[in-house]
């Protein structure tokens, strides 16, 4: 891990075996348990966000997403989008991908890591009830998954939106088509004084 201190301060993913950093068009991979050098895997376009499960890393770029197998360093393109992709989050079963129009798509890790499936289709698409803004990355919603719920909020907002999508036994709800958000509100206005729509 000695070389890690020379990397720029960035978000990273870890599974306890690897540290994964996205830097411009490179993915830097560092094993936690040994003094091996950092290895790099290069991409054609800038890396927007990363999320991982086991030996697989979902790589989000501006208009496409791919999966990197850490054992082989092989990258497989899994999907493209006409709207710019903003962020990704995952749990043990699914990956959520948010685009610039606050449209969220859910994909299973099983589909994303299947080498015989060249393109993945989402299992669910949700339009977040949050006003979109084209001015800054910081105005896009933040998303987070736990084992039963998807959460979304906007920086400075007084609202947290949650979708109960998984059961307690970690299986997907059978009627995903009818999933409705729960909206939690705190006070009358946003932290920055704006009302949410």
């Amino acid at each position: 891990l000695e070389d890690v201190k020379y990397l720029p301060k960035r978000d990273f993913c870890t599974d306890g075996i690897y540290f994964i950093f996205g830097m411009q068009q490179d993915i830097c991979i560092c094993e936690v348990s040994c003094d091996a050098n950092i290895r790099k895997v290069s991409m054609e376009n800038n890396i927007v966000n990363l999320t991982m499960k086991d030996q697989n890393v979902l790589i989000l770029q501006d208009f496409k997403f791919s999966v990197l197998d850490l054992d082989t360093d092989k990258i497989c393109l899994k999907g493209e989008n006409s709207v710019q992709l903003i962020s990704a989050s995952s749990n043990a079963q699914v990956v959520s991908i948010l685009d610039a129009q606050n449209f969220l798509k859910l994909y299973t890790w099983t589909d994303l890591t299947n080498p015989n499936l060249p393109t993945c289709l989402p299992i669910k698409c949700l339009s977040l009830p949050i006003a979109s803004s084209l001015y800054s990355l910081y105005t896009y919603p933040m998303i987070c998954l736990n084992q039963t719920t998807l959460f979304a909020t906007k920086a400075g907002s007084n609202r947290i939106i949650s979708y109960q999508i998984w059961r307690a036994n970690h299986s997907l709800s059978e009627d995903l088509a009818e999933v409705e958000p729960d909206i939690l509100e705190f006070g009358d206005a946003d932290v920055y004084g704006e009302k949410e729509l």
Side-chain angles (χ1 to χ4, degrees):
L1 293 179
E2 183 68 21
D3 292 336
V4 172
K5 68 182 178 185
Y6 300 111
L7 292 172
K9 290 184 172 41
R10 302 273 312 195
D11 289 339
F12 66 91
C13 298
T14 185
D15 63 354
I17 299 170
Y18 295 99
F19 279 117
I20 312 295
F21 302 85
M23 297 188 330
Q24 296 173 345
Q25 295 177 335
D26 293 326
I27 296 170
C28 299
I29 304 161
C30 177
E31 289 187 48
V32 174
S33 62
C34 68
D35 292 330
N37 291 330
I38 296 171
R39 69 184 202 261
K40 290 185 181 180
V41 176
S42 295
M43 305 293 295
E44 293 176 8
N45 300 305
N46 282 338
I47 298 163
V48 174
N49 197 219
L50 302 169
T51 189
M52 74 184 300
K53 177 190 174 194
D54 302 327
Q55 303 299 332
N56 298 290
V57 179
L58 179 106
I59 305 160
L60 199 66
Q61 295 178 286
D62 286 329
F63 295 94
K64 61 185 177 180
F65 56 97
S66 306
V67 173
L68 165 66
D69 183 327
L70 292 173
D71 290 333
T72 63
D73 286 351
K74 183 178 178 184
I75 298 172
C76 294
L77 177 66
K78 289 297 181 171
E80 297 187 65
N81 207 47
S82 60
V83 178
Q84 184 174 9
L85 301 173
I86 301 301
S87 65
S89 183
S90 65
N91 66 18
Q93 287 79 34
V94 298
V95 172
S96 62
I97 297 178
L98 178 71
D99 72 22
Q101 293 178 345
N102 294 347
F103 200 66
L104 192 76
K105 295 180 182 177
L106 298 173
Y107 299 86
T108 67
W109 274 114
T110 302
D111 287 349
L112 290 167
T113 58
N114 182 345
N116 299 319
L117 192 61
T119 302
C120 291
L121 297 175
I123 58 167
K124 179 69 179 167
C125 299
L126 301 167
S127 179
L128 295 179
I130 296 175
S132 59
S133 173
L134 302 173
Y135 301 113
S136 165
L137 175 65
Y138 300 108
T139 61
Y140 293 114
M142 296 169 282
I143 54 175
C144 177
L145 294 171
N146 68 17
Q147 295 307 322
T148 60
T149 309
L150 180 142
F151 297 96
T153 192
K154 197 171 177 180
S157 173
N158 65 332
R159 298 172 71 187
I160 298 174
I161 299 161
S162 68
Y163 292 88
Q164 189 76 29
I165 296 179
W166 300 273
R167 294 193 187 109
N169 66 359
H170 308 304
S171 64
L172 289 169
S173 287
E174 291 173 6
D175 31 343
L176 279 175
E178 298 179 18
V179 172
E180 292 293 324
D182 290 321
I183 300 175
L184 307 169
E185 294 199 28
F186 304 94
D188 294 334
D190 290 344
V191 173
Y192 299 125
E194 295 179 9
K195 297 271 188 186
E196 281 285 351
L197 301 176

